[in-house]
Amino acid sequence: MSYIADTLGNLVQQTAFFNLTFGNFIMIIVACIFLYLAIAKGYEPLLLVPISFGMLLVNIYPDIMQAAEETANGTGGMLWYFYKLDEWSILPSLIFMGVGAMTDFGPLIANPKSFLLGAAAQFGIFAAYLGAMAMGFSDRAAAAISIIGGADGPTSIFLAGKLEQTAILGPIAVAAYSYMALVPIIQPPIMKLLTTEEERKIKMEQLRPVSKLEKILFPIIVTAVVCLILPTTAPLVGMLMLGNLFRESGVVRQLTETASNAMMYIVVILLGTSVGATTSAEAFLNWDTLKIVALGLIAFAFGTAAGVLFGRLLCKVSGGKVNPLIGSAGVSAVPMAARVSQKVGSEADPTNFLLMHAMGPNVAGVIGTAVAAGTFMAIFGVM
């Protein structure tokens, strides 16, 4: 009987209930809320489902993220190996390749002014940088946090890894991806506050047709120009443009399909679960994390506002030919931000079609955020 009692006692002790802290239960509840938003409400489920499930796993079984050097047998937890691919900047770069293969750069080529709107929306990054410095973060930590303002999860992970800010990489990544998923909730009130109904009803002229030669030359020229000026952007900008070259060249259909489908979804699973698994209660429930989440929201709001206000300026300069709403798409959340511009515009006038016009600033925002990350790396001497 004593043997049976000891065996049962050991089994009971091995259950997670005896090892969970109050913080773990809080994070499990947060994970369930994220799952609800993703599944029931449809808020970017491709992002939130793997992130929230990784969050759930690590707070039930923390050893799934245990580093190899911390274990007796030298074998790390499964998600720790996924996470190393984040630290090494492999997964963020592959995500950019997939985005390039999925995205039509034609609207940006047809309307080069979109670059200005994409640049204006990066104001949120520098606002967050100054805010993080004011809150007591180091200059490198502030730079890593600030990229949240571009609503670009892969770039946030990339820069945090390059600047050796792995201690806050998890909160940064979760904040960036959460705000990307919540674009349809965060942006519309700001867009409506900063524009008049007449401005939201502005119909833009149809974009000119873009030739196949232009579409092929664009990724080659952008890669050469941007990477010559900021070589540190090569992993992100290079992979983004390579993916787009696959798409536009028309001679590597298999590579295009792989990069935009199978590879993209595999990378999303690996990156999402590993990012979610960085949110253990010990790492996530502290004041620094709350500061990062708050800074991210402020930065994202500033970026959206700056894009819309610059859109209003272009509207005035062009004599009312530019709808200011497309400026909000200058953040890097592709294509969610462009869809939000379309949605808000169609609410003012159901016959207004802004999606393709908004894709220009949206793509420019992706390039702009990568350039901002490269600028920070150059400032801190990181190669």
Side-chain angles (χ1 to χ4, degrees), residues 66-77 80-81:
Q66 192 170 20
E69 56 269 18
E70 296 175 356
T71 62
N73 61 3
T75 302
W80 178 78
Y81 290 102

Side-chain angles (χ1 to χ4, degrees), residues 299-334:
F300 189 40
F302 265 90
T304 300
V308 172
L309 291 174
F310 196 82
R312 292 191 71 177
L313 177 62
L314 287 184
C315 179
K316 298 292 183 185
V317 172
S318 65
K321 294 181 179 179
V322 175
N323 190 312
L325 292 178
I326 68 171
S328 66
V331 296
S332 302
V334 178

Side-chain angles (χ1 to χ4, degrees), residues 25-37:
F25 283 108
I26 292 177
M27 294 307 298
I28 289 170
I29 292 171
V30 172
C32 291
I33 292 172
F34 277 10
L35 282 170
Y36 170 78
L37 292 175

Side-chain angles (χ1 to χ4, degrees), residues 186-258:
I186 298 172
Q187 282 198 320
I190 299 171
M191 296 161 68
K192 292 175 181 177
L193 178 66
L194 297 178
T195 57
T196 65
E197 187 172 355
E198 290 72 22
E199 288 172 332
R200 294 195 290 275
K201 289 181 178 179
I202 292 175
K203 294 182 179 180
M204 298 181 65
E205 297 177 359
Q206 185 173 353
L207 294 170
R208 70 171 179 84
V210 178
S211 69
K212 184 177 179 65
L213 179 61
E214 287 178 289
K215 289 187 175 184
I216 291 174
L217 290 177
F218 182 79
I220 299 171
I221 293 171
V222 170
T223 300
V225 172
V226 174
C227 294
L228 282 172
I229 297 172
L230 284 171
T232 50
T233 62
L236 294 181
V237 173
M239 290 301 99
L240 177 71
M241 295 302 158
L242 176 60
N244 189 250
L245 187 60
F246 287 163
R247 171 192 171 98
E248 303 300 349
S249 66
V251 295
V252 287
R253 179 175 54 82
Q254 298 91 333
L255 297 183
T256 304
E257 291 177 354
T258 300

